[in-house]
Coordinates of all heavy atoms in Angstrom, one line a residue:
M1 N 46.9 11.4 -69.1 CA 46.1 12.5 -68.7 C 45.6 12.3 -67.2 O 45.4 11.2 -66.8 CB 44.9 12.7 -69.6 CG 43.7 11.9 -69.4 SD 42.5 12.3 -70.7 CE 41.0 11.8 -69.9
T2 N 45.5 13.4 -66.6 CA 45.0 13.4 -65.2 C 43.6 14.0 -65.1 O 43.4 15.1 -65.6 CB 46.0 14.2 -64.3 OG1 47.3 13.7 -64.5 CG2 45.7 14.1 -62.8
T3 N 42.8 13.3 -64.4 CA 41.4 13.8 -64.2 C 41.0 13.8 -62.8 O 41.6 13.1 -61.9 CB 40.4 12.9 -65.0 OG1 40.5 11.6 -64.6 CG2 40.7 13.0 -66.5
I4 N 39.9 14.5 -62.4 CA 39.3 14.3 -61.1 C 37.9 13.7 -61.4 O 37.1 14.2 -62.2 CB 39.3 15.7 -60.4 CG1 38.7 15.5 -59.0 CG2 38.5 16.8 -61.1 CD1 38.9 16.6 -58.0
D5 N 37.6 12.7 -60.6 CA 36.4 12.0 -60.8 C 35.6 11.9 -59.5 O 36.2 12.0 -58.4 CB 36.7 10.5 -61.3 CG 37.5 10.6 -62.6 OD1 37.0 11.1 -63.6 OD2 38.6 10.1 -62.5
L6 N 34.3 11.7 -59.6 CA 33.4 11.7 -58.4 C 32.7 10.3 -58.3 O 32.2 9.8 -59.2 CB 32.4 12.8 -58.6 CG 31.3 12.9 -57.6 CD1 31.8 13.3 -56.3 CD2 30.2 13.8 -58.1
D7 N 32.7 9.9 -57.0 CA 31.9 8.7 -56.7 C 30.6 9.2 -56.2 O 30.5 9.6 -55.0 CB 32.7 7.8 -55.6 CG 31.9 6.6 -55.2 OD1 30.7 6.5 -55.6 OD2 32.5 5.7 -54.6
W8 N 29.6 9.1 -57.0 CA 28.3 9.6 -56.6 C 27.7 8.9 -55.4 O 26.8 9.5 -54.7 CB 27.3 9.5 -57.8 CG 27.6 10.4 -58.9 CD1 28.3 10.2 -60.1 CD2 27.4 11.9 -58.9 NE1 28.4 11.3 -60.8 CE2 27.9 12.4 -60.1 CE3 26.8 12.7 -58.0 CZ2 27.8 13.7 -60.4 CZ3 26.7 14.1 -58.3 CH2 27.2 14.6 -59.5
T9 N 28.1 7.7 -55.2 CA 27.5 6.9 -54.1 C 28.0 7.5 -52.7 O 27.4 7.2 -51.7 CB 27.8 5.4 -54.1 OG1 29.2 5.2 -54.0 CG2 27.3 4.8 -55.5
R10 N 29.1 8.2 -52.7 CA 29.6 8.8 -51.5 C 29.3 10.2 -51.3 O 29.2 10.7 -50.1 CB 31.2 8.7 -51.5 CG 31.7 7.3 -51.4 CD 33.2 7.3 -51.4 NE 33.8 6.0 -51.1 CZ 34.2 5.7 -49.9 NH1 34.2 6.6 -48.9 NH2 34.7 4.5 -49.6
C11 N 29.1 11.0 -52.3 CA 28.9 12.4 -52.2 C 27.7 12.8 -51.4 O 26.6 12.3 -51.6 CB 28.8 13.0 -53.6 SG 28.6 14.8 -53.6
D12 N 27.9 13.7 -50.5 CA 26.8 14.2 -49.6 C 26.5 15.6 -49.8 O 25.8 16.3 -49.0 CB 27.2 14.0 -48.1 CG 27.2 12.6 -47.7 OD1 26.4 11.8 -48.2 OD2 28.0 12.2 -46.8
A13 N 26.9 16.2 -51.0 CA 26.6 17.5 -51.3 C 27.1 18.6 -50.3 O 26.4 19.6 -50.1 CB 25.1 17.7 -51.6
H14 N 28.2 18.4 -49.7 CA 28.8 19.4 -48.8 C 29.1 20.7 -49.6 O 29.1 21.8 -49.0 CB 30.0 18.9 -48.1 CG 29.8 17.7 -47.3 ND1 29.1 17.8 -46.1 CD2 30.1 16.4 -47.4 CE1 29.0 16.6 -45.5 NE2 29.6 15.7 -46.3
G15 N 29.6 20.5 -50.8 CA 29.9 21.7 -51.6 C 31.3 22.3 -51.5 O 31.7 23.2 -52.2
L16 N 32.0 21.7 -50.6 CA 33.4 22.2 -50.3 C 34.2 22.1 -51.6 O 35.0 23.0 -51.8 CB 34.0 21.4 -49.2 CG 35.4 21.7 -48.8 CD1 35.5 23.1 -48.3 CD2 35.9 20.7 -47.7
C17 N 34.1 21.1 -52.3 CA 35.0 20.9 -53.5 C 34.9 22.1 -54.5 O 35.8 22.5 -55.1 CB 34.6 19.6 -54.2 SG 32.9 19.4 -54.6
S18 N 33.7 22.6 -54.7 CA 33.5 23.7 -55.6 C 34.2 25.0 -55.2 O 34.6 25.8 -56.0 CB 32.1 24.0 -56.0 OG 31.4 24.6 -54.9
R19 N 34.3 25.1 -53.8 CA 35.1 26.3 -53.3 C 36.6 26.1 -53.5 O 37.3 27.1 -53.7 CB 34.7 26.5 -51.8 CG 33.3 27.0 -51.7 CD 33.1 27.6 -50.3 NE 33.2 26.8 -49.2 CZ 32.3 26.0 -48.7 NH1 31.1 26.1 -49.2 NH2 32.5 25.2 -47.6
L20 N 37.0 24.9 -53.4 CA 38.5 24.6 -53.5 C 38.9 24.5 -54.9 O 40.1 24.7 -55.2 CB 38.8 23.3 -52.7 CG 38.6 23.4 -51.2 CD1 38.8 22.1 -50.6 CD2 39.5 24.5 -50.6
L21 N 38.0 24.1 -55.8 CA 38.4 23.9 -57.2 C 37.3 24.5 -58.2 O 36.7 23.8 -59.0 CB 38.6 22.4 -57.5 CG 39.4 22.0 -58.8 CD1 40.8 22.5 -58.8 CD2 39.3 20.5 -59.0
P22 N 37.1 25.8 -58.1 CA 36.0 26.4 -58.9 C 36.3 26.3 -60.4 O 35.3 26.4 -61.1 CB 36.0 27.8 -58.4 CG 37.3 28.1 -57.8 CD 37.8 26.8 -57.3
E23 N 37.5 26.1 -60.8 CA 37.8 26.1 -62.2 C 37.2 24.8 -62.8 O 37.0 24.8 -64.0 CB 39.3 26.1 -62.4 CG 40.1 27.3 -61.9 CD 40.5 27.1 -60.4 OE1 40.0 26.2 -59.7 OE2 41.4 27.9 -60.0
K24 N 37.0 23.8 -62.0 CA 36.6 22.5 -62.6 C 35.2 22.0 -62.0 O 34.6 21.1 -62.6 CB 37.6 21.4 -62.3 CG 39.0 21.6 -62.8 CD 39.0 21.7 -64.3 CE 38.9 20.3 -64.9 NZ 39.1 20.4 -66.4
I25 N 34.8 22.6 -60.9 CA 33.6 22.0 -60.2 C 32.7 23.2 -59.9 O 33.0 24.1 -59.3 CB 34.0 21.3 -58.9 CG1 35.0 20.2 -59.2 CG2 32.7 20.7 -58.3 CD1 35.5 19.5 -57.9
T26 N 31.4 23.0 -60.4 CA 30.4 23.9 -60.0 C 29.3 23.0 -59.3 O 29.4 21.8 -59.2 CB 29.7 24.6 -61.2 OG1 29.3 23.6 -62.2 CG2 30.7 25.5 -61.9
L27 N 28.3 23.7 -58.7 CA 27.3 23.0 -58.0 C 25.9 23.1 -58.7 O 25.6 24.2 -59.2 CB 27.2 23.5 -56.6 CG 28.4 23.4 -55.7 CD1 28.1 24.0 -54.3 CD2 28.9 21.9 -55.6
D28 N 25.2 22.0 -58.6 CA 23.8 22.1 -59.2 C 22.9 22.8 -58.1 O 23.4 23.1 -57.0 CB 23.3 20.8 -59.7 CG 23.0 19.8 -58.5 OD1 23.0 20.2 -57.4 OD2 22.8 18.6 -58.9
E29 N 21.6 22.9 -58.4 CA 20.7 23.6 -57.5 C 20.6 22.9 -56.1 O 20.1 23.5 -55.2 CB 19.4 23.8 -58.1 CG 18.7 22.6 -58.5 CD 17.5 22.8 -59.5 OE1 16.5 23.3 -59.0 OE2 17.7 22.5 -60.7
W30 N 20.9 21.6 -56.0 CA 20.8 20.9 -54.8 C 22.2 20.8 -54.1 O 22.3 20.1 -53.0 CB 20.3 19.5 -55.0 CG 18.9 19.5 -55.6 CD1 17.7 19.7 -54.9 CD2 18.5 19.4 -56.9 NE1 16.7 19.7 -55.8 CE2 17.1 19.5 -57.0 CE3 19.3 19.1 -58.1 CZ2 16.4 19.4 -58.2 CZ3 18.6 19.0 -59.3 CH2 17.2 19.2 -59.4
G31 N 23.2 21.4 -54.6 CA 24.5 21.4 -54.0 C 25.4 20.3 -54.4 O 26.5 20.1 -53.8
F32 N 25.0 19.5 -55.4 CA 25.8 18.4 -55.9 C 26.8 18.9 -56.9 O 26.4 19.8 -57.7 CB 25.0 17.2 -56.4 CG 24.3 16.4 -55.4 CD1 23.0 16.7 -54.9 CD2 25.0 15.4 -54.8 CE1 22.5 15.9 -53.9 CE2 24.5 14.6 -53.8 CZ 23.2 14.9 -53.3
P33 N 28.0 18.4 -57.0 CA 29.0 18.9 -57.9 C 28.7 18.5 -59.3 O 28.2 17.4 -59.6 CB 30.3 18.3 -57.4 CG 29.9 17.1 -56.6 CD 28.5 17.3 -56.1
I34 N 29.1 19.4 -60.2 CA 29.1 19.2 -61.6 C 30.5 19.3 -62.1 O 31.1 20.4 -62.0 CB 28.2 20.2 -62.4 CG1 26.8 20.1 -61.9 CG2 28.3 19.9 -63.9 CD1 25.9 21.3 -62.3
L35 N 31.1 18.2 -62.5 CA 32.5 18.2 -63.0 C 32.5 18.3 -64.5 O 31.6 17.7 -65.2 CB 33.2 16.9 -62.6 CG 33.7 16.8 -61.1 CD1 32.6 16.8 -60.2 CD2 34.6 15.6 -61.0
D36 N 33.5 19.0 -65.1 CA 33.5 19.1 -66.5 C 34.0 17.9 -67.2 O 33.8 17.8 -68.4 CB 34.2 20.4 -67.0 CG 35.7 20.4 -66.8 OD1 36.2 19.3 -66.5 OD2 36.3 21.4 -67.0
G37 N 34.7 17.0 -66.5 CA 35.1 15.7 -67.1 C 36.3 15.8 -68.0 O 36.8 14.8 -68.5
R38 N 36.8 17.0 -68.1 CA 38.0 17.1 -69.0 C 39.3 16.9 -68.2 O 39.3 17.0 -67.0 CB 38.0 18.5 -69.7 CG 36.8 18.5 -70.7 CD 36.9 19.9 -71.4 NE 36.8 21.0 -70.5 CZ 36.4 22.2 -70.8 NH1 36.1 22.5 -72.0 NH2 36.3 23.1 -69.9
E39 N 40.4 16.8 -69.0 CA 41.7 16.6 -68.4 C 42.0 17.9 -67.5 O 41.7 19.0 -67.9 CB 42.7 16.5 -69.5 CG 44.1 16.3 -69.0 CD 45.1 16.0 -70.2 OE1 44.6 16.0 -71.3 OE2 46.2 15.7 -69.9
L40 N 42.7 17.6 -66.4 CA 43.2 18.7 -65.6 C 44.4 19.4 -66.2 O 45.3 18.8 -66.6 CB 43.6 18.2 -64.2 CG 42.5 17.8 -63.3 CD1 43.1 17.0 -62.1 CD2 41.7 18.9 -62.7
D41 N 44.3 20.7 -66.3 CA 45.5 21.5 -66.6 C 46.6 21.2 -65.6 O 46.2 21.0 -64.4 CB 45.2 23.0 -66.8 CG 44.3 23.3 -67.9 OD1 44.3 22.5 -68.9 OD2 43.6 24.3 -67.9
P42 N 47.9 21.2 -65.9 CA 48.9 20.9 -65.0 C 48.9 21.7 -63.7 O 49.1 21.2 -62.6 CB 50.2 21.1 -65.7 CG 49.8 20.9 -67.2 CD 48.4 21.4 -67.3
E43 N 48.5 23.0 -63.8 CA 48.5 23.8 -62.6 C 47.3 23.5 -61.7 O 47.3 24.0 -60.6 CB 48.5 25.3 -63.0 CG 47.3 25.8 -63.7 CD 47.3 25.6 -65.2 OE1 48.1 24.9 -65.7 OE2 46.4 26.3 -65.8
L44 N 46.4 22.7 -62.2 CA 45.2 22.4 -61.4 C 45.3 21.1 -60.7 O 44.5 20.7 -59.9 CB 43.9 22.5 -62.2 CG 43.5 23.9 -62.7 CD1 42.3 23.8 -63.5 CD2 43.3 24.8 -61.5
V45 N 46.4 20.3 -61.0 CA 46.5 19.0 -60.4 C 46.7 19.1 -58.9 O 46.0 18.4 -58.1 CB 47.7 18.2 -61.0 CG1 48.0 16.9 -60.3 CG2 47.4 17.9 -62.5
R46 N 47.5 20.0 -58.4 CA 47.7 20.1 -57.0 C 46.4 20.6 -56.3 O 46.0 20.0 -55.3 CB 48.9 21.1 -56.7 CG 49.2 21.1 -55.2 CD 50.4 22.1 -55.0 NE 51.6 21.6 -55.6 CZ 52.7 21.5 -55.0 NH1 52.8 21.8 -53.7 NH2 53.8 21.1 -55.6
P47 N 45.8 21.7 -56.8 CA 44.5 22.0 -56.1 C 43.4 20.9 -56.2 O 42.6 20.8 -55.3 CB 44.0 23.3 -56.9 CG 45.2 23.8 -57.6 CD 46.2 22.6 -57.8
A48 N 43.5 20.1 -57.3 CA 42.5 19.0 -57.4 C 42.8 18.0 -56.3 O 41.9 17.5 -55.7 CB 42.5 18.4 -58.8
R49 N 44.0 17.7 -56.1 CA 44.4 16.7 -55.0 C 44.0 17.3 -53.6 O 43.5 16.5 -52.8 CB 45.9 16.4 -55.0 CG 46.3 15.6 -56.2 CD 47.6 14.9 -56.0 NE 47.8 14.0 -57.1 CZ 48.8 14.2 -58.1 NH1 49.5 15.2 -58.0 NH2 48.9 13.3 -59.0
A50 N 44.2 18.6 -53.4 CA 43.8 19.2 -52.2 C 42.3 19.1 -52.0 O 41.8 18.8 -50.9 CB 44.2 20.7 -52.1
A51 N 41.5 19.3 -53.0 CA 40.1 19.2 -53.0 C 39.7 17.8 -52.6 O 38.7 17.5 -51.8 CB 39.4 19.7 -54.3
A52 N 40.3 16.8 -53.3 CA 40.0 15.4 -53.0 C 40.3 15.0 -51.6 O 39.5 14.3 -50.9 CB 40.8 14.5 -54.0
L53 N 41.4 15.5 -51.0 CA 41.7 15.2 -49.6 C 40.8 15.9 -48.7 O 40.5 15.4 -47.6 CB 43.2 15.7 -49.3 CG 44.3 14.8 -49.9 CD1 45.6 15.5 -49.7 CD2 44.3 13.4 -49.2
A54 N 40.3 17.1 -49.1 CA 39.4 17.8 -48.2 C 37.9 17.3 -48.2 O 37.2 17.6 -47.3 CB 39.4 19.3 -48.6
C55 N 37.6 16.5 -49.2 CA 36.2 16.1 -49.3 C 35.8 15.2 -48.1 O 36.4 14.2 -47.8 CB 36.0 15.3 -50.5 SG 34.4 14.5 -50.6
P56 N 34.9 15.7 -47.3 CA 34.5 14.9 -46.0 C 34.0 13.5 -46.3 O 34.1 12.6 -45.5 CB 33.4 15.8 -45.4 CG 33.4 17.1 -46.1 CD 34.0 16.9 -47.5
A57 N 33.5 13.3 -47.5 CA 32.9 12.0 -47.8 C 33.9 11.1 -48.6 O 33.5 10.0 -49.0 CB 31.6 12.2 -48.6
L58 N 35.1 11.6 -48.9 CA 36.1 10.9 -49.7 C 35.5 10.5 -51.0 O 35.7 9.3 -51.5 CB 36.6 9.7 -48.9 CG 37.3 10.0 -47.6 CD1 37.7 8.7 -46.9 CD2 38.5 10.9 -47.7
A59 N 34.8 11.4 -51.6 CA 34.1 11.1 -52.9 C 34.8 11.4 -54.1 O 34.4 11.1 -55.2 CB 32.7 11.8 -52.9
L60 N 35.9 12.2 -54.0 CA 36.7 12.6 -55.1 C 38.0 11.9 -55.3 O 38.6 11.5 -54.2 CB 37.0 14.1 -55.0 CG 35.8 15.1 -55.1 CD1 36.2 16.5 -54.6 CD2 35.2 15.1 -56.5
R61 N 38.4 11.6 -56.5 CA 39.6 10.9 -56.7 C 40.3 11.6 -57.9 O 39.7 11.8 -59.0 CB 39.4 9.5 -57.0 CG 40.7 8.7 -57.1 CD 40.5 7.2 -57.3 NE 39.8 7.0 -58.5 CZ 39.4 5.8 -58.9 NH1 39.5 4.8 -58.2 NH2 38.8 5.7 -60.1
V62 N 41.6 11.9 -57.7 CA 42.4 12.4 -58.8 C 43.2 11.2 -59.4 O 43.9 10.5 -58.6 CB 43.4 13.5 -58.4 CG1 44.3 13.9 -59.5 CG2 42.6 14.7 -57.9
S63 N 43.1 10.9 -60.7 CA 43.8 9.7 -61.2 C 44.4 10.1 -62.5 O 44.0 11.0 -63.3 CB 42.8 8.6 -61.4 OG 41.7 9.0 -62.2
R64 N 45.5 9.4 -62.8 CA 46.2 9.5 -64.0 C 45.9 8.4 -64.9 O 46.0 7.2 -64.5 CB 47.7 9.6 -63.6 CG 48.6 10.1 -64.7 CD 50.0 10.2 -64.2 NE 50.8 10.6 -65.3 CZ 51.5 11.7 -65.4 NH1 51.6 12.5 -64.3 NH2 52.2 12.0 -66.4
K65 N 45.6 8.6 -66.1 CA 45.2 7.6 -67.1 C 46.2 7.7 -68.3 O 46.6 8.8 -68.7 CB 43.8 7.8 -67.5 CG 42.8 7.7 -66.4 CD 41.4 8.1 -66.8 CE 40.5 8.1 -65.5 NZ 39.4 9.1 -65.6
A66 N 46.4 6.5 -68.9 CA 47.3 6.5 -70.0 C 46.6 7.1 -71.2 O 45.5 7.1 -71.4 CB 47.7 5.1 -70.3
Ligands
SF4_1 S1 33.2 18.0 -51.1 FE1 32.8 15.8 -51.5 S2 30.9 15.4 -50.6 FE2 31.0 17.6 -50.8 S3 30.0 18.1 -52.7 FE3 32.2 17.8 -53.1 S4 32.4 15.7 -53.7 FE4 30.4 15.8 -52.7

């Protein structure tokens, strides 16, 4: 399964990720992302990777787990 995960120690609440991947990421009232934690649907893997690459803080990671 493929997921997108967040390193909270890096996130600076830029909010860009929620604009690039609104299907999986919303923002709380302070602008920090809320991830649903579920497996990425196949069509969302590419947009998730794009969001991870675009994160200015390099706080997102797309990973594949057995
Ligand atoms: S783009 Fe990166 S730094 Fe900004 S809110 Fe999302 S995870 Fe955090």
Side-chain angles (χ1 to χ4, degrees):
M1 86 180 199
T2 305
T3 60
I4 184 166
D5 303 300
L6 174 67
D7 180 346
W8 288 104
T9 65
R10 289 178 171 264
C11 178
D12 287 330
H14 297 288
L16 178 60
C17 54
S18 73
R19 292 200 294 273
L20 294 174
L21 194 63
E23 300 88 345
K24 300 297 281 185
I25 304 174
T26 56
L27 299 179
D28 69 12
E29 61 193 284
W30 297 281
F32 283 95
I34 301 169
L35 280 67
D36 71 8
R38 291 182 302 198
E39 182 175 5
L40 288 166
D41 292 335
E43 69 272 15
L44 291 180
V45 171
R46 187 181 294 233
R49 288 200 173 109
L53 285 172
C55 172
L58 302 176
L60 292 169
R61 187 177 63 185
V62 175
S63 55
R64 195 177 175 119
K65 300 166 185 156

